[in-house]
Amino acid sequence: MSAPRIGVLALQGDVREHLGALSAVGADPVTVRNRAELDSVDGLILPGGESTTISYLLDELGLADPLRARLAAGMPAYGACAGMILLASEILDAGSGTRVAVPLGGVDMTVRRNAFGRQVDSFEDYLSVAGFDDPVHAVFIRAPWVERVGADVTVLARAAGHPVAVRQGAVLATSFHPEVTADHRIHALFVAIVTGRA
């Protein structure tokens, strides 16, 4: 079986780190910056970064509606931090003016941006994640949390009483950044989702 072709949305954020983690777990990682590249992938990672900027660039480059359509059609996706925010169906504190984070609707959830605080409030923890035997090293950087999940959403991990890792069907999202650690189990889980093994 050939390696799944998994895209990393390369508009802003930890693109290189996600590409490296995907390579480490046996995927064929590629960058996605346009419609043709989006159409060529089996799954997509939306990395961390600034959610309002990524949302603005998706719209400017004509990628927002095609991405929504692919998500609605069942394309597997994984969002980390800003990616989690964008995959939500509702975003609290979404921004103001022309820079607003617009939800893509991949997961039936309400997410609050910067819920854990500012950059100086960033922290690391070890979290119990459903399906994993050992705790996951989780790095939170100006991280969101989930305030509401729909009936079809599975909460995989919590921090400070709030969901910080969720899954709905083929869509996975975390508040934290596994790509900046040596623990690639979240990426391995996503590859398993893409290939139908999870």
Side-chain angles (χ1 to χ4, degrees):
M1 181 178 172
S2 61
R5 186 177 177 87
I6 299 180
V8 178
L9 187 65
L11 305 183
Q12 193 212 27
D14 291 343
V15 175
R16 183 187 44 161
E17 291 85 351
H18 281 290
L19 293 170
L22 286 169
S23 291
V25 296
D28 174 21
V30 296
T31 55
V32 170
R33 294 187 184 90
N34 58 49
R35 175 71 181 270
E37 291 168 346
L38 175 62
D39 290 344
S40 76
V41 298
D42 302 313
L44 182 69
I45 289 180
L46 288 77
E50 220 305 303
S51 58
T52 59
T53 299
I54 296 170
S55 190
Y56 172 81
L57 292 171
L58 281 170
D59 192 52
E60 284 290 296
L61 295 170
L63 280 172
D65 287 338
L67 179 48
R68 280 191 190 90
R70 286 220 59 196
L71 288 168
M75 178 186 69
Y78 165 49
C81 196
M84 170 186 254
I85 294 166
L86 295 174
L87 285 173
S89 54
E90 181 184 17
I91 301 169
L92 303 179
D93 298 329
S96 60
T98 58
R99 293 295 172 95
V100 177
V102 179
L104 296 168
V107 178
D108 181 12
M109 63 180 173
T110 301
V111 172
R112 183 174 296 279
R113 289 177 68 239
N114 303 328
F116 284 101
R118 300 164 61 87
Q119 191 85 13
V120 295
D121 301 308
S122 300
F123 66 99
E124 299 181 32
D125 199 356
Y126 285 87
L127 301 179
S128 294
V129 176
F132 294 172
D133 292 336
D134 299 311
V136 169
H137 183 194
V139 177
F140 293 84
I141 304 169
R142 290 178 58 212
W145 67 40
V146 179
E147 297 211 348
R148 178 200 62 84
V149 295
D152 295 329
V153 179
T154 301
V155 175
L156 302 177
R158 294 179 181 269
H162 292 276
V164 293
V166 298
R167 178 180 175 184
Q168 183 176 0
V171 182
L172 179 68
T174 64
S175 297
F176 51 88
H177 291 264
E179 76 281 2
V180 300
T181 74
D183 187 343
H184 298 314
R185 286 177 293 165
I186 295 290
H187 289 83
L189 171 59
F190 182 55
V191 171
I193 291 170
V194 173
T195 58
R197 291 182 286 108

